Amino acid sequence: MKSTLFKIIGGALLIALGVFFGKMFFSSSGESTVPMPSTMQYRNVGLSSDTTQVAQRKEFAGQVIEVRKGGSIQEAVKSANPGDLIRVFPGVYSENVYIDKDDISLQGVVIKGEWPTLDGKKQINDAILYSGNGILIENFKIINYKGNGIMGQAGNNFIIRNNWIIYTGVYGIFPQYGKNGLIEHNVLSKIADAAIYVGMCDNIDVLHNEVFDSVAGIEIENSRHCLVENNYAHNNTGGLLAFITPGLPIKTAFNIIFRNNFVVNNNHPNFGAPGSTVASIPPGTGILIMAADDVIVEGNIITGNNNTGITIVDLANGDPKANDPNSEGNPDRIVLLDNIMFDNGNDPTGEIKAMMLSQLQSKGPDIFAFGGGTGSTIRDKNRYRTFGLGNYGQAQIADTKEVKSMMLNAPVTPRSVSEHELGEITYYGVCAGCHAFGTTLIGVDTQIIKEIYVDNPQGIVNYITKPLNLRKDFPDMPPQDYLSAEAKMAVAEYILKMTN
């Protein structure tokens, strides 16, 4: 018990120190940015130099391009070469920025509390999209976009940190199909799906972020080898999530650690798009594990979540509409270690309420497990109010202190795309963020798209270039006109050949 308290106190101190240094950083009277002498390894300067070094191990040898109020960030990207740093000074920039080059760093300069602000004015779909490798995005305020704040599209070795993201539509920070990434010290709120959404990725650290007033706080979906640590998730519908969405090209989610997070009062009404996966998350969900394997929950403070503190469920019960024979739907080998849990389950809803009433109880449990799954364990079942843990064995580990990071020891090989792979990579990195095969994610089922456009790839190209929302039960699809003509035709042909 003492070791658990020391871990939790240590985690709280880390967050407090992060807040302290964050306040110093964000309220500086001078320029809050990284100094740039030509010999400085700027990618190794910051609040997490250890993980930053792993993501992008390079000396700065490029040019510094400055963008000031009235200028264009996108024009700076167009003129930049791999290795360059683009510094953006305070001002309002209403544009979509697309980075399709490798090793570009986009760095805001905060002066006397004034931020460089990307404002979509509720008209522009996405703030920043990147498909390049080795991308750094830091120190921006991003508001009022319709689609995404920052979205990665199959780029590896990325760093997204120290950003303030509010009202950016479906997702706040959304790396899709990337490897070896760091998401840290960001503040996100009022996002209609997931504030931070790690989709079909590998080797990702999500550290020291605050997420609130969103449907899902931090969501690890169809991803592997992820560490989610020292985050503050509060007043979302669901705080932290690890699950499999059927119908996506990557069929597994495993080796995920939720450690030393504050998961508090996640009772916000669900305002997700009707029919989407997250629209089924019950308000009051602290942590949700659905069909993911090898998930460890350790050292978290989980309190005030009115439905349950932790819910563990299989696909058959968590998403009954799902039908993907290639996705194994059971949560296997879940490990529940020492967590502080109290004041959860005060107002359970739906099936959990019904099940608790069948036990002559009106209060929801700290930990609720239902459905299939094997090999799961818990350190001390008697510490918590539980339901459905009858087959959970004794945990064979006490902690995960040997795991410092899920990122790799060196940057992974930058992703290169051959002509033969162009359609597949475009689908994985762009389309699969909203479209799944055989089920509804955010956009229309890919199987339905395939049926509508039989033998007509040009029809898909025309639509993704200039979409028309003909279905009022789906959100507007953002135009993908920034993609090359070759990529659009390749992904259209790939969709028409899909079978699962």
Side-chain angles (χ1 to χ4, degrees), residues 35-36 71 109 147 187 202 225 294 389 391 400 435-436 442 468:
M36 282 302 305
V109 180
V187 178
D202 292 275
H225 316 297
D294 301 294
L389 269 63
N391 63 344
T400 60
H435 300 277
I442 290 294
L468 296 173

Side-chain angles (χ1 to χ4, degrees), residues 214-215 235-239 265-272 278-286 304-309 311 345-350 352:
S214 300
V215 175
N235 200 40
N236 307 286
T237 304
N265 298 334
N266 290 286
N267 304 310
H268 198 292
N270 193 317
F271 57 101
V278 297
S280 63
I281 299 172
T285 301
N305 305 286
N306 284 340
N307 199 39
T308 64
T311 297
N346 290 322
D347 187 19
T349 61
I352 292 179

Side-chain angles (χ1 to χ4, degrees), residues 25-26 28-36 64-69 73 85-93 105-117 137-141 161-163:
F25 179 88
F26 292 136
S28 170
S29 59
E31 294 187 10
S32 298
T33 186
V34 180
M36 282 302 305
V64 178
I65 301 172
E66 294 187 349
V67 181
R68 295 183 179 270
K69 186 176 181 179
I73 303 171
L85 168 66
I86 300 171
R87 284 176 129 184
V88 183
F89 284 76
V92 176
Y93 304 84
S105 295
L106 200 59
Q107 181 186 76
V109 180
V110 182
I111 301 176
K112 296 182 179 179
E114 294 295 321
W115 288 61
T117 301
I137 302 168
E138 64 179 356
N139 309 345
F140 287 91
K141 182 178 180 181
R161 66 182 176 200
N162 302 339
N163 300 288

Side-chain angles (χ1 to χ4, degrees), residues 127 326 340:
N326 297 303
I340 290 182

Side-chain angles (χ1 to χ4, degrees), residues 80-103:
N81 295 309
D84 287 352
L85 168 66
I86 300 171
R87 284 176 129 184
V88 183
F89 284 76
V92 176
Y93 304 84
S94 293
E95 56 182 314
N96 164 245
V97 179
Y98 178 53
I99 307 172
D100 59 353
K101 304 172 183 179
D102 289 350
D103 299 319

Side-chain angles (χ1 to χ4, degrees), residues 273-413:
S276 66
T277 301
V278 297
S280 63
I281 299 172
T285 301
I287 295 177
L288 172 63
I289 301 168
M290 184 174 73
D293 298 330
D294 301 294
V295 180
I296 299 175
V297 184
E298 176 195 1
N300 304 281
I301 296 178
I302 306 169
T303 180
N305 305 286
N306 284 340
N307 199 39
T308 64
I310 301 172
T311 297
I312 303 163
V313 67
D314 60 15
L315 273 179
N317 291 284
D319 191 1
K321 304 186 302 298
N323 181 24
D324 186 347
N326 297 303
S327 291
E328 200 284 311
N330 293 319
D332 298 317
R333 299 174 302 281
I334 307 304
V335 180
L336 305 175
L337 299 178
D338 292 326
N339 298 276
I340 290 182
M341 305 183 70
F342 61 93
D343 200 32
N344 297 299
N346 290 322
D347 187 19
T349 61
E351 293 182 359
I352 292 179
K353 181 178 181 179
M355 289 182 185
M356 299 314 297
L357 288 174
S358 73
Q359 305 297 309
L360 302 180
Q361 298 181 36
S362 60
K363 190 171 184 177
D366 287 319
I367 304 170
F368 176 89
F370 189 71
T374 62
S376 294
T377 59
I378 185 170
R379 183 162 166 79
D380 185 358
K381 190 184 303 183
N382 296 321
R383 288 182 57 185
Y384 316 105
R385 293 178 298 103
T386 67
F387 180 93
L389 269 63
N391 63 344
Y392 274 51
Q394 180 67 36
Q396 299 302 300
I397 60 172
D399 56 53
T400 60
K401 62 185 179 182
E402 77 284 356
V403 180
K404 307 301 182 185
S405 169
M406 286 291 189
M407 299 174 69
L408 299 173
N409 291 327
V412 300
T413 303

